[in-house]
């Protein structure tokens, strides 16, 4: 009989490869990600679509596998051993995430990801509070997940949507943002890092200003949490949403952090099991936050995997991740800048490893399709950011987004493949 995976804690396993002097063996780190070994169309895979979703280290895959093999049970319900182990593992991830982001665990609602998290704020915080005459401020560079929920709220409440514009280089126009925060603005929805431009917004300063003016802030951390140390308490926002699958965790996991006073005052979004204390036909007493917002059976195995992802990133060190990705970004940008007729969208000084670009004479989808045949996975299209592409007057772009487990050799191979496929299109 083969050895069974460990029970609790389920997250033991090969650690990220950092020596006692703090040097990272990046080849060993890469070897932690089994999928990166595969070929595509007979070529070694170069996975540069990390802004879309990230790959998973073996520890995450094994933690989920181990959960289903050894512990599977529902959470917070059964008194039996498996039930308490499953609950411990699920709640263990809340504790890990809270430590990772420097927040309290009871202020962290576990959910399916950023889209759910922002919709929770929209339906449970904004919908009961906003009315005609109020304004919701969103930036031009938002992902649709931080635009459409506010449009739905605006439609139902009569509130208006105002757009905080960006500059040509892809940075937020901070003066315009300040001017736009007039007394009718009740909520500011802003991304921490743009999924297209890579721009890192100065969310701490912006939230300080918003707070001074009584504007509630919703920060979309989807593209920040996977790439740098994020101290949510220091940012000083009201809500912070993020998603697990971009930070080495499984799809269908994520969380909303919210100030306790907001969570206490918010009505439930979904009704069902777990979110109640007592139910009768005379009335129902809701559970306390955060469980009040976690109706139904959650993605337990997914959250076990997300806990393992947090452990992995903590062992590797987010400062190492940030430094490695900055190095890869600099290399990639330098190589792309040498290609005639290539335009990069987003050149902010503080930028994450996301490069949106177009090559003169070649359609983004054609380039991405031909690159796929060379084994290179990049994204092409509108990146769930139509208003941003409208600003630049383009219908689509390519987007290459390396992560810490990618290599300088892959950047060179990608650029060589890009040069090759471009000649096929011209
Ligand atoms: N916000 C940003 C900036 C994103 O990049 C994404 C994912 O692409 C989302 C929100 C939506 O995340 P999810 O689909 O995991 O809910």
């Amino acid at each position: 009989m083969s050895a069974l995976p460990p029970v609790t804690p389920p997250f033991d396993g090969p650690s990220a490869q950092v020596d006692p002097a703090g040097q990272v063996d990046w080849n060993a780190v890469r070897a932690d990600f089994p999928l990166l070994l595969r070929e595509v169309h007979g070529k070694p895979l170069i996975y540069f679509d990390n802004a879309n979703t990230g790959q998973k280290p073996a520890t995450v895959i094994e933690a989920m596998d181990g959960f289903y093999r050894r512990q599977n049970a529902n959470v917070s319900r059964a008194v039996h051993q498996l039930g308490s182990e499953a609950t411990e593992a699920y709640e263990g991830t809340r504790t890990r995430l809270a430590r990772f982001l420097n927040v309290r665990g009871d202020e962290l609602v576990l959910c399916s990801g950023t889209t759910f998290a922002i919709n929770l704020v929209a339906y449970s915080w904004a919908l009961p509070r906003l009315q005609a005459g109020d304004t919701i401020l969103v930036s031009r560079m938002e992902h649709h997940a931080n635009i459409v929920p506010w449009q739905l709220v605006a439609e139902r409440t009569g509130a208006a949507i105002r757009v905080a514009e960006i500059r040509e280089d892809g940075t937020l126009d901070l003066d315009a943002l300040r001017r736009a925060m007039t007394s009718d603005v009740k909520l500011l929805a802003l991304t921490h890092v743009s999924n297209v431009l890579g721009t890192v917004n100065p969310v701490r300063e912006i939230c300080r200003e918003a707070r001074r003016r009584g504007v509630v802030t919703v920060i979309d951390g989807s593209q920040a949490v996977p790439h740098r140390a994020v101290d949510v308490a220091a940012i000083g926002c009201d809500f912070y949403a993020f998603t697990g699958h971009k930070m080495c965790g499984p799809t269908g996991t994520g969380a909303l952090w919210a100030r306790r006073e907001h969570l206490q005052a918010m009505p439930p979004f979904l009704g069902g099991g777990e979110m109640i204390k007592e139910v009768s036909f005379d009335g129902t007493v809701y559970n306390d936050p955060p469980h009040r917002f976690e109706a139904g059976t959650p993605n337990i195995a997914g959250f076990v995997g997300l806990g393992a992802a947090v452990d992995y990133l903590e062992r590797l060190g987010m400062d190492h991740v940030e430094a490695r990705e900055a190095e890869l970004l600099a290399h990639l940008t330098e190589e792309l800048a040498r290609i005639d007729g290539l335009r990069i969208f987003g050149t902010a000084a503080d930028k994450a490893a996301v490069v949106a670009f177009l090559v003169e004479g070649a359609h983004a989808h054609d380039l991405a399709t031909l690159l796929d045949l060379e084994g290179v996975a990049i994204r092409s299209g509108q990146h769930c950011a139509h208003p941003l592409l409208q600003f630049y007057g383009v219908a689509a772009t390519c987007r290459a987004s390396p992560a810490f487990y990618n290599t300088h050799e892959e950047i060179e191979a990608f650029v060589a493949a890009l040069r090759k496929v471009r000649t096929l299109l011209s």
Side-chain angles (χ1 to χ4, degrees):
M1 207 175 110
S2 61
L4 289 169
V7 185
T8 42
F11 311 141
D12 289 343
S15 65
Q17 315 289 327
V18 185
D19 75 14
Q23 290 298 311
V24 181
D25 178 346
W26 290 108
N27 288 328
V29 168
R30 183 177 172 83
D32 288 336
F33 292 78
L35 184 139
L36 298 177
L37 288 174
R38 72 162 283 181
E39 295 191 339
V40 169
H41 304 303
K43 307 266 170 64
L45 168 69
I46 297 177
Y47 186 77
F48 277 1
D49 196 18
N50 293 285
N52 204 352
T53 195
Q55 299 304 343
K56 322 301 172 200
T59 47
V60 168
I61 300 165
E62 284 157 13
M64 294 172 72
D65 182 75
F67 175 79
Y68 277 130
R69 285 179 192 279
R70 298 289 315 271
Q71 292 181 304
N72 180 48
N74 213 329
V75 292
S76 316
R77 294 176 188 191
V79 295
H80 55 67
Q81 179 64 23
L82 290 186
S84 57
E85 284 181 18
T87 305
E88 202 181 304
Y90 177 74
E91 292 298 331
T93 294
R94 195 190 311 273
T95 307
R96 282 170 165 81
L97 286 169
R99 190 184 56 221
F100 192 57
L101 298 171
N102 190 28
V103 294
R104 288 169 54 139
D106 61 1
E107 294 179 337
L108 211 43
V109 178
L110 303 184
C111 62
S112 62
T114 300
T115 302
F116 186 98
I118 294 176
N119 276 277
L120 171 57
V121 184
Y123 283 91
S124 193
W125 187 88
L127 205 53
R129 282 173 182 75
L130 299 193
Q131 55 188 13
D134 292 338
T135 297
I136 301 167
L137 185 58
V138 302
S139 91
R140 167 69 67 174
M141 67 174 86
E142 297 312 307
H143 186 282
H144 296 161
N146 207 16
I147 297 175
V148 183
W150 307 121
Q151 290 177 325
L152 293 169
V153 168
E155 258 172 38
R156 293 190 191 186
T157 59
I161 304 269
R162 185 176 300 155
V163 180
E165 284 298 348
I166 59 168
R167 299 197 191 87
E168 193 62 28
D169 65 357
T171 55
L172 252 189
D173 184 337
L174 294 177
D175 291 333
L177 179 71
R178 267 182 223 108
R179 282 196 304 275
M181 269 196 249
T182 46
S183 59
D184 53 319
V185 174
K186 297 291 180 287
L187 185 141
L188 166 65
L190 178 67
T191 194
H192 192 164
V193 175
S194 161
N195 66 313
V196 181
L197 307 163
T199 308
V200 180
N201 287 317
V203 285
R204 200 169 166 164
E205 289 158 55
I206 295 170
C207 289
R208 195 183 310 128
E209 181 75 23
R211 206 162 174 72
R212 218 172 49 78
R213 297 175 188 229
V215 176
V216 164
T217 45
V218 182
I219 303 297
D220 175 352
S222 309
Q223 299 287 347
V225 176
H227 305 299
R228 44 180 62 202
V230 173
D231 182 336
V232 172
I235 291 171
C237 52
D238 289 280
F239 298 97
Y240 194 93
F242 63 98
T243 216
H245 66 96
K246 297 181 203 285
M247 52 180 287
C248 297
T251 50
T253 62
L256 173 72
W257 172 81
R259 287 182 187 274
R260 186 147 188 82
E261 65 263 29
H262 292 318
L263 288 180
Q264 297 279 19
M266 281 159 58
F269 174 35
L270 297 177
E274 293 313 315
M275 49 73 70
I276 47 81
K277 279 185 176 158
E278 205 181 301
V279 179
S280 80
F281 287 114
D282 297 325
T284 290
V285 182
Y286 304 131
N287 211 337
D288 296 323
H291 297 99
R292 183 189 300 167
F293 305 103
E294 296 179 9
T297 301
N299 179 3
I300 307 165
F303 281 103
V304 169
L306 184 57
V310 172
D311 280 3
Y312 186 87
L313 290 172
E314 278 190 330
R315 283 184 200 149
L316 179 54
M318 291 311 291
D319 291 345
H320 291 137
V321 168
E322 185 179 348
R324 168 75 171 175
E325 292 182 355
E327 201 185 277
L328 293 171
L329 172 67
H331 185 185
L332 177 59
T333 308
E334 192 183 307
E335 292 287 337
L336 290 177
R338 292 209 187 102
I339 297 180
D340 283 344
L342 187 144
R343 175 182 176 196
I344 292 178
F345 297 83
T347 52
D350 195 2
K351 179 175 164 155
V354 178
V355 184
F357 64 92
L358 272 179
V359 180
E360 218 169 61
H363 193 281
H365 289 312
D366 294 341
L367 277 177
T369 305
L370 290 176
L371 282 167
D372 179 54
L373 296 175
E374 299 294 318
V376 180
I378 62 161
R379 182 150 177 210
S380 58
Q382 302 190 328
H383 320 297
C384 299
H386 288 187
L388 179 61
L389 269 70
Q390 285 154 13
F391 173 85
Y392 287 109
V394 295
T397 76
C398 292
R399 182 183 70 181
S401 51
F404 58 85
Y405 42 67
N406 289 119
T407 64
H408 290 285
E409 292 72 30
E410 286 182 305
I411 288 174
E412 272 150 33
F414 158 60
V415 173
L418 182 58
R419 286 180 185 279
K420 176 180 160 188
V421 302
R422 186 210 189 160
T423 59
L424 299 176
L425 291 171
S426 54

